[in-house]
């Protein structure tokens, strides 16, 4: 009994040593490729965070707005208490995925750059036309952007009756 236990322990020890020698451990390394990919988004924030709303980050949606089979990216941006009167002080950004590891900023054409003090975003096809739309939650009025299917969006917030002016942080669609 002692001999078989000793043999089993010896075999286990040799196996562990062999595995460790056969599979050298390597450190995981990450490389920042944002600039090379064309993503140059910078989130606006107030480093001193005097007010709770300034401590909240923006949201991001990964969705295929043009149905080309590649996930595109929409980043929401926030403002600060000091810049809140100027909606253009913090631009949200829609990046089109070129399918080759690069992205193109299409925000201007799409018309989704300035929803206000954005907090979160959700993408879904709210009207069943086959194109994902965007609902952006804000500190202030939220925005529902209808995807026109041609690379542009139309703000249909008032028409849809979802122009709640209170503070919204997140949202979800359900079916």
């Amino acid at each position: 009994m002692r001999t078989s236990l000793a043999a089993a322990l010896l075999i286990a020890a040799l196996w562990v040593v062999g595995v460790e020698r056969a599979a050298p451990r390597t450190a995981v390394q990450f490389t920042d490729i944002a600039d090379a990919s064309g993503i140059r988004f910078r989130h606006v924030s107030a480093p001193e965070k005097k007010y709770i709303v300034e401590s909240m980050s923006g949201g991001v949606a990964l969705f295929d707005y043009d149905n080309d089979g590649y996930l595109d990216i929409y980043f929401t941006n926030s403002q600060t208490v000091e810049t809140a009167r100027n909606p253009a002080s913090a631009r949200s950004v829609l990046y089109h995925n070129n399918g080759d590891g690069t992205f193109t900023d299409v925000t201007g054409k799409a018309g989704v750059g300035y929803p206000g003090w954005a907090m979160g975003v959700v993408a879904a096809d709210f009207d069943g036309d086959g194109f994902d739309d965007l609902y952006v939650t804000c500190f202030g009025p939220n925005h529902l952007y209808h995807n026109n299917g041609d690379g542009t969006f139309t703000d249909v917030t008032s028409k849809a009756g979802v122009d709640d002016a209170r503070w919204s942080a997140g949202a979800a669609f359900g079916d």
Side-chain angles (χ1 to χ4, degrees), residues 110-134:
V112 293
Y114 300 102
W117 196 323
M119 291 279 149
V121 61
V122 63
D125 183 8
F126 84 90
D127 60 351
D129 65 357
F131 291 94
D132 283 342
D133 309 291
L134 290 174

Side-chain angles (χ1 to χ4, degrees), residues 71-141:
L71 286 177
D72 307 298
I73 307 172
Y74 182 72
F75 291 101
T76 66
N77 216 336
S78 299
Q79 297 174 324
T80 65
V81 170
E82 289 180 11
T83 64
R85 294 182 192 265
N86 178 9
S89 65
R91 182 176 180 255
S92 294
V93 183
L94 176 61
Y95 286 102
H96 173 261
N97 185 335
N98 300 321
D100 61 1
T102 64
F103 293 81
T104 301
D105 182 343
V106 295
T107 311
K109 177 185 178 193
V112 293
Y114 300 102
W117 196 323
M119 291 279 149
V121 61
V122 63
D125 183 8
F126 84 90
D127 60 351
D129 65 357
F131 291 94
D132 283 342
D133 309 291
L134 290 174
Y135 187 67
V136 181
T137 59
C138 298
F139 179 61

Side-chain angles (χ1 to χ4, degrees), residues 1 23 58 107 117 146 149-151 157 161-163 175:
M1 175 93 166
T107 311
W117 196 323
H146 174 260
D150 62 359
T157 309
V162 294
D163 52 352
D175 185 7

